[in-house]
């Protein structure tokens, strides 16, 4: 999959700022530093389209990226960043949940967890919240390059068990592009774009 045409479309903190074109959207959510912005860059074949950082808390607003004028990738700020105040965490909830809950064109959410760690309380809450609102989502285990190949299955099985999920997460690495094709196929399917040849 080669993406020729992608760019930042808009940055928003409130529904008034979200795109009004009605194009399908896929969103990436997860703990700060889990690799959401890096995954978007790897999927789109760009190095620095979505801003990344070693410091958690890099993405602070909701960023929409156009992809071939057919869909948007939505980069969300992460949660569970210890240095933000209570009022800032509350703002996160309002902003992100407000987006996720009221968005008919949102065709799939990718919930990212680090392949090396057991999902935390925030991950579990979000997982339950998706089920409760019946939102379409897929689990992704990021940074798969950080563990030995022989350990991947053990780690994804543990994540599945801790969340009580039906399916194990898809291993993904922004460095090696592991999982890129699987995610693309889910994205195009979810957006009704399976015929798209890029
Ligand atoms: P926030 O915007 O703070 O919520 O973080 P984020 O989830 O967008 O994480 P980001 O993509 O900025 O990545 C955080 C750090 O993890 C950066 O130093 C990345 O280089 C590193 N990283 C992300 N994905 C991978 C990966 O697949 N493999 C490795 N080895 N490092 C990764
Ligand atoms: Mg980010």
């Amino acid at each position: 999959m080669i993406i020729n045409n992608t760019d930042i479309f808009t940055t928003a903190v409130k529904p008034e700022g979200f795109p009004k074109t009605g194009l399908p959207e896929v969103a990436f959510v997860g703990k700060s530093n889990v690799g959401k912005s890096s995954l978007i860059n790897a999927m789109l074949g760009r190095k620095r389209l979505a801003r990344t950082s070693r410091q958690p808390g890099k993405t602070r607003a909701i960023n929409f990226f156009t992809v071939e004028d057919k869909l948007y990738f939505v980069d969300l700020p992460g949660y569970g960043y210890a240095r933000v105040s209570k009022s800032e965490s509350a703002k996160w909830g309002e902003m992100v949940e407000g987006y996720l809950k009221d968005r008919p064109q949102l065709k799939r959410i990718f919930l990212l967890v680090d392949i090396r760690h057991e999902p935390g309380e925030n991950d579990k809450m979000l997982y339950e919240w998706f089920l409760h609102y019946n939102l379409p989502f897929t689990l992704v285990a990021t940074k798969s390059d950080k563990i030995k190949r022989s350990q991947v299955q053990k780690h994804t099985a543990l994540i599945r068990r801790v969340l009580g999920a039906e399916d194990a997460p898809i291993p993904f690495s922004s460095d090696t592009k592991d999982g890129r094709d699987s995610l693309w196929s889910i994205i195009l399917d979810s957006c009704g774009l399976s015929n798209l040849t890029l």
Side-chain angles (χ1 to χ4, degrees):
M1 176 77 68
I2 296 167
I3 304 300
N4 296 305
N5 178 7
T6 176
D7 209 346
I8 178 93
F9 180 73
T10 194
T11 291
V13 290
K14 289 195 189 114
E16 297 86 87
F18 301 162
K20 294 178 182 64
T21 54
L23 287 179
E25 295 170 0
V26 291
F28 302 89
V29 66
K31 203 172 171 209
S32 267
N33 211 244
V34 73
K36 299 173 291 296
S37 302
S38 303
L39 176 145
I40 289 176
N41 289 332
M43 291 298 288
L44 298 177
R46 294 277 294 263
K47 283 217 163 68
R48 274 177 286 274
L49 182 64
R51 303 284 301 278
T52 65
S53 166
R54 226 172 298 180
Q55 302 290 335
K58 180 72 184 171
T59 312
R60 291 298 183 104
I62 305 183
N63 293 294
F64 294 82
F65 300 94
T66 45
V67 184
E68 308 290 2
D69 294 325
K70 298 271 193 249
L71 73 153
Y72 295 109
F73 271 31
V74 185
D75 191 11
L76 295 162
Y79 48 80
Y81 172 39
R83 272 166 57 197
V84 303
S85 62
K86 269 221 168 107
S87 68
E88 260 192 280
S89 319
K91 256 199 268 166
W92 181 91
E94 217 177 291
M95 173 165 64
V96 175
E97 289 177 14
Y99 165 73
L100 295 172
K101 222 166 58 180
D102 268 328
R103 200 70 185 155
Q105 59 270 66
L106 176 58
K107 300 305 181 194
R108 185 151 295 265
I109 304 163
F110 291 92
L111 174 56
L112 277 53
V113 296
D114 189 316
I115 200 162
R116 296 168 293 177
H117 310 303
E118 270 191 36
E121 279 313 308
N122 287 324
D123 302 316
K124 287 185 206 164
M125 267 163 50
L126 206 55
Y127 179 87
E128 295 296 330
W129 192 82
F130 291 159
L131 289 180
H132 178 79
Y133 284 100
N134 212 6
L135 298 171
F137 70 96
T138 298
L139 288 172
V140 176
T142 61
K143 310 193 184 183
S144 68
D145 59 283
K146 295 265 199 186
I147 61 174
K148 285 202 196 104
R149 221 172 245 269
S150 58
Q151 297 294 302
V152 165
Q153 210 255 332
K154 194 181 93 186
H155 283 247
T156 56
L158 176 69
I159 292 166
R160 185 186 72 75
R161 216 166 40 245
V162 170
L163 290 173
E166 251 171 61
D167 300 312
I170 299 172
F172 186 90
S173 164
S174 301
D175 283 14
T176 66
K177 313 286 190 281
D178 179 27
R180 187 174 184 267
D181 292 345
S182 309
L183 286 202
W184 263 120
S185 139
I186 295 170
I187 290 169
L188 294 181
D189 255 12
S190 308
C191 294
L193 294 169
S194 304
N195 297 330
L196 195 71
T197 41
L198 297 174

